[in-house]
Each structure stands twice: as C-alpha cells, then as structure tokens.
Amino acid sequence: MLRIMREMWSKINSKNGGDCKMSVKTTAILVIMLIAMLFSTAWAQPWVTHSTGIGPAFKVSPAIAVPDENGNIKLLFSSDEKDIVYSVAWKGKKIEPIENSTLILTPDLKGMYEYLTVKATTKSDPWDTSVATVMVLSPKIVFDENAPLSVFAVPSSICSSNSSSGVRVYIVVNALLGKKELKLYEEGKNVFDVTLSPFTDSPQLFEYSFKNSNLKSGTYTFEGQLTLVTGESMTSEKDIKVLSCSTPTIQAQISPEVISGGKQNFTVSLDVNNKVTKIKDVWVNGSKAVRKNEKWVSTFSYDFDNRKSGKYPLELNVKVEDESGNTFNLTMTKEICVDADSPTIDFVELIDGNGKVLKLSADKETSIGRWSWELPAMFKVKVGVISACETEPAVKIALDGKTVSKDMISIDKYGNHVLKVTVTDPINNLSSSYSYKMNVVNNSPVPTPWWPVIGIFVVMIIALFLTLY
C-alpha cells in the first residue's frame, strides 16, 4: 500500500506540473487513504520506519535508536519478500548486518544525533534498491519512543548571567505517516515553522536556539505542534528555567607546591560552591575531577622544562558544569617553587651550656678558649641553611670523622678538631658539605699567691708612718 501511495503521489505531481496544490477531490482521496494507513501501520508501531524506493519493501525497528550503557544499538530488519541483502551506511562506511535480520552497531556519536541509512536489494536484481532512514539519538536527549512528538532542551535550566551560552531546543518527530506541518511556539509566539512530507515515515529532528541574554528569571515554555493531513494536531511541551545564579566560588589547594623541576604530576583539590544549582562535573586543565570527601580532585601533568630555582605561577583553567548543564570557566594561578640547586650553609654556631655563642668560619681556623667550663664540654650546633624554596634540609654533623646524633657535640680534649656539616635538600636530594677547623686552648688565668701581696702592703704602711714622724 505504501508503494501504491508513492506512485499516486508521483502521478499527481506530473499531472499538475509538479505543483503541490491538489484538487479538493484528490486531497480527499489521499486523506482517506492516509487515515487508513495511519491506523493500520503508524499508530500501531510508531517506532518502525518503512523503506522507500523501487527495490524490496522492508521495515526497520526501532526508527529512533538510543545507544545503551555500552554504546551499542540493535536494529531489526523484516520484510515479506525473500532473498534480501541488507547493508548499512554510517558516515560513509558500509556495514553488512548479521544474519540478514539483526545488526548490533556501536556508533561513534559525536553530537546529539546522526542519521543512519539502511539499504536493501534482492540477490536476483541488485540494481533495484530501497532505503530506510534510522535516527541515532544521544542518551542526553529524553524522548518518548511511543509518542509521535517530543520536545527536549539542553540544558533545561540556565543562568541569566551566563550570557555566553544558550539552550538548544530539540523537536523529535517519530516515524509517522501523514505528517503535514511542524510548528514551535516560545511563550505562545511562533518561532519555528516547517512543512513535512506526508508520504514518508522517517524520523526527523529539528533544532532551535534559545538565547538567554537579557532574560528575566523565570520559566519559559516551548510547545511543539505537529499537524497531520487528517487535520489532527498533537502537541508536546517543555519548560526551560532561567535562574539568577552567580559564578561558583572556588578554593583550590595544589600538591606538591615545591618540585625539583621538569615534568611533574600535580593534584588539585577544589572546594566548589554554587548557591543555586548543584555541581555535576569539574575539569582542571582538561582533566576531569572526581568527587572525594566533598571536594573535587583532579590530577594533571605540567612540564617546567629546565627552569632555574625560583617561584613560578601555575595556571589552572577550571571548568564547572552544574546539573542543569550550565558551564562556567574560571582561571586561577597557584605558586610553584622550583628547587633545582644544592642548599648552602649560611652560618654554623656553637652554643655552650651558659648560652655563649661562638660563630665558626669555614675559611679559617677558629680558636676556642676555655673560660667557665671544664672538659669534656657539650656544645649545641646551630646550622643556618639557605635553600631556594625555604625547605628544611636534612643536617648531618660529624666531629673528627665521627657522626654525632642530633645537634650536640662533646669536646673532651684540647687541641685541633674538625667539625663537618652536610646538608641535603629533601626535594632534589642534592647535598653540600662544609668543614670547620677548631683549636680548643686552655687559656684560664694563672692563680696569684696572696702572701707577697700582703707583705708589700705592710711595707708600704710602715714607710708611710716613718715619713710622718
């Protein structure tokens, strides 16, 4: 019956010189036949699409295929004719179905939808072909597979302040014969109008761009209206919410903050707050973050090349998407310190038990005189270190070739001693060593006898008396 309808339509066009305006009688006949077809085929199975062409007649289900969780779609082919050879064209690639009745395909769907063409020929006459069109629809678009018309929007909510993006409204027309006209209304105003072919039941998708710039907060209703040649109309509505939301606030912590240079993996922990809508996904420098302990954590690589020691800014490009599909892009910087050199020693000091400080010099021997302490004597070694990133290097101390624990040394004899201090950077493991020569001398004053002093004092007094008398 479908093929008879197509032939009638072709003859009507030829008689009227290709003019689509038909006589009232012809229109009435077509309407009656289409009504019969609608009730016998399309209304019974609106998700099945039929073939067109001079080849074998067949049908494919579903007419609109949505990939499952594994990204696969399953198509079923059926026909009353025999010895049919099917093939599928997907982006120029020809695929032979399995067992001439079922095809499982994993389409590489980049956008929201693609059209897939099914071709059929007979083995006896491969030149006579028929084709059917199947729509592959992204799982992001929600539609009713049993309804002739569905309206969907991505995103369904949007921020009025996010004027750089808008909403894409998708109108999905299912596999239905007798289609005449499709209209889209935005808040009651006709914004989209297209004439459809009543003689094909291929599914179709139409797009409309809804701009949110300069819109007040509130709900905006879109209504799709599909009219059939029978005069019947069917509608589908979708509400879009425009929200007064602000840019999310983000606090970031990065690790590590000190590196030795070159290529490094960084971990960023983000605290993202949005007052209006819930955050769905976060990306940092193109790497998707995961939700951990109420924070978003992302790992990415960055190469600092062969940079010298010092502090450098690391730029973080953060993309945030909320559950409504709104996206926000923010840029922030974190300071990274490159520690590529060996640490240096600024000073070494000895502190005795009484708090007296003696500064050692690596250029010359330091003389240490004994005053208020006796051998053996304990000294605390204080080491001042200079590093590019203010790290705390590991300090190793040796006295006369023997490593000492902590920062205390014990001197138990006079004479020459050598104090060696080694500092190792914890980031790059580079070390520096310095040696300090010391000479411990006994320079305590010699005790003075008291009797000679007393004798001299007595003689001076006697001499003074003799002078007076």
Side-chain angles (χ1 to χ4, degrees):
M1 188 174 184
L2 185 62
R3 185 174 297 176
I4 294 173
M5 290 294 299
R6 296 192 192 100
E7 292 175 357
M8 284 185 61
W9 178 251
S10 178
K11 291 178 181 179
I12 291 169
N13 279 339
S14 62
K15 287 181 180 180
N16 293 315
D19 190 354
C20 292
K21 295 181 180 179
M22 298 177 289
S23 65
V24 175
K25 182 178 179 180
T26 304
T27 303
I29 294 173
L30 286 174
V31 167
I32 293 172
M33 297 185 70
L34 282 169
I35 290 174
M37 293 183 66
L38 289 171
F39 279 98
S40 63
T41 57
W43 289 115
Q45 289 182 317
W47 53 89
V48 175
T49 182
H50 296 78
S51 64
T52 61
I54 61 175
F58 67 96
K59 55 186 178 181
V60 185
S61 65
I64 301 177
V66 180
D68 59 18
E69 62 274 6
N70 297 319
N72 300 326
I73 61 172
K74 182 179 181 180
L75 301 179
L76 301 177
F77 309 93
S78 61
S79 176
D80 294 332
E81 303 186 36
K82 298 181 179 180
D83 297 329
I84 299 179
V85 178
Y86 295 103
S87 63
V88 173
W90 173 260
K91 295 183 178 180
K93 183 179 180 181
K94 185 178 179 181
I95 305 171
E96 298 293 340
I98 301 172
E99 297 180 358
N100 291 338
S101 60
T102 304
L103 172 65
I104 297 177
L105 179 66
T106 306
D108 182 17
L109 191 63
K110 299 296 185 181
M112 287 296 185
Y113 67 99
E114 292 281 355
Y115 288 105
L116 182 148
T117 302
V118 182
K119 179 181 176 181
T121 61
T122 57
K123 293 181 179 179
S124 59
D125 191 357
W127 296 104
D128 289 342
T129 61
S130 297
V131 295
T133 301
V134 174
M135 181 188 298
V136 181
L137 198 61
S138 169
K140 294 181 180 180
I141 298 181
V142 179
F143 82 108
D144 185 355
E145 63 179 12
N146 295 310
L149 181 68
S150 297
V151 178
F152 188 70
V154 180
S156 58
S157 297
I158 195 167
C159 298
S160 58
S161 59
N162 196 5
S163 59
S164 61
S165 63
V167 176
R168 300 295 293 179
V169 180
Y170 297 92
I171 309 100
V172 181
V173 180
N174 218 322
L176 180 65
L177 285 167
K179 301 183 292 287
K180 180 181 179 181
E181 187 179 33
L182 175 65
K183 294 183 178 181
L184 180 67
Y185 295 90
E186 177 187 330
E187 290 294 294
K189 179 182 178 182
N190 184 212
V191 295
F192 184 87
D193 194 339
V194 61
T195 300
L196 304 177
S197 172
F199 297 99
T200 176
D201 63 354
S202 298
Q204 293 174 280
L205 185 145
F206 301 91
E207 297 182 52
Y208 174 74
S209 179
F210 170 63
K211 299 297 183 180
N212 63 310
S213 179
N214 300 321
L215 289 178
K216 294 182 180 180
S217 301
T219 301
Y220 294 80
T221 302
F222 283 85
E223 180 185 71
Q225 184 182 74
L226 177 64
T227 303
L228 306 181
V229 294
T230 60
E232 182 181 359
S233 294
M234 49 201 70
T235 60
S236 178
E237 292 186 353
K238 180 63 180 179
D239 290 337
I240 297 175
K241 294 181 180 179
V242 178
L243 309 172
S244 296
C245 47
S246 58
T247 302
T249 59
I250 299 178
Q251 293 181 340
Q253 292 182 336
I254 191 168
S255 177
E257 294 181 336
V258 181
I259 63 172
S260 59
K263 191 173 184 179
Q264 179 72 46
N265 291 328
F266 292 93
T267 299
V268 180
S269 178
L270 302 173
D271 188 3
V272 184
N273 294 310
N274 195 355
K275 296 180 180 179
V276 179
T277 57
K278 188 176 180 181
I279 301 301
K280 178 185 177 183
D281 289 307
V282 176
W283 293 263
V284 180
N285 290 358
S287 297
K288 192 172 184 178
V290 295
R291 186 77 168 171
K292 292 183 180 180
N293 300 324
E294 299 184 354
K295 293 184 181 295
W296 294 93
V297 180
S298 175
T299 301
F300 64 94
S301 297
Y302 189 85
D303 195 348
F304 278 87
D305 304 320
N306 297 317
R307 302 192 190 185
K308 298 179 180 180
S309 295
K311 295 180 179 180
Y312 300 90
L314 175 59
E315 187 174 89
L316 304 179
N317 296 309
V318 182
K319 178 182 177 182
V320 178
E321 181 179 353
D322 63 19
E323 288 189 335
S324 298
N326 299 302
T327 58
F328 303 89
N329 293 283
L330 304 94
T331 300
M332 60 181 65
T333 57
K334 301 297 289 186
E335 190 175 73
I336 302 299
C337 191
V338 176
D339 191 355
D341 301 318
S342 303
T344 58
I345 295 178
D346 186 27
F347 64 86
V348 172
E349 296 175 341
L350 298 184
I351 305 174
D352 66 12
N354 296 319
K356 185 177 180 180
V357 178
L358 180 64
K359 191 170 184 178
L360 302 182
S361 174
D363 299 327
K364 61 181 180 179
E365 183 180 87
T366 303
S367 178
I368 302 176
R370 184 180 69 81
W371 292 99
S372 58
W373 40 265
E374 298 289 340
L375 297 182
M378 297 294 296
F379 293 89
K380 181 178 181 179
V381 182
K382 184 178 180 180
V383 181
V385 182
I386 300 176
S387 62
C389 299
E390 301 177 357
T391 56
E392 295 185 5
V395 179
K396 181 180 178 182
I397 301 173
L399 179 63
D400 296 332
K402 295 181 179 180
T403 302
V404 300
S405 61
K406 296 184 179 180
D407 56 354
M408 300 294 295
I409 62 172
S410 176
I411 297 178
D412 56 3
K413 62 180 180 179
Y414 297 109
N416 294 322
H417 300 273
V418 177
L419 182 70
K420 185 178 181 180
V421 180
T422 303
V423 289
T424 303
D425 194 301
I427 304 300
N428 54 37
N429 291 321
L430 297 177
S431 300
S432 296
S433 295
Y434 296 80
S435 295
Y436 301 88
K437 295 180 179 180
M438 302 178 294
N439 183 20
V440 180
V441 297
N442 184 6
N443 57 354
S444 297
V446 179
T448 303
W450 287 102
W451 287 111
V453 175
I454 294 174
I456 294 172
F457 182 72
V458 171
V459 171
M460 291 176 64
I461 293 176
I462 294 173
L464 180 60
F465 276 105
L466 291 177
T467 303
L468 293 174
Y469 286 103

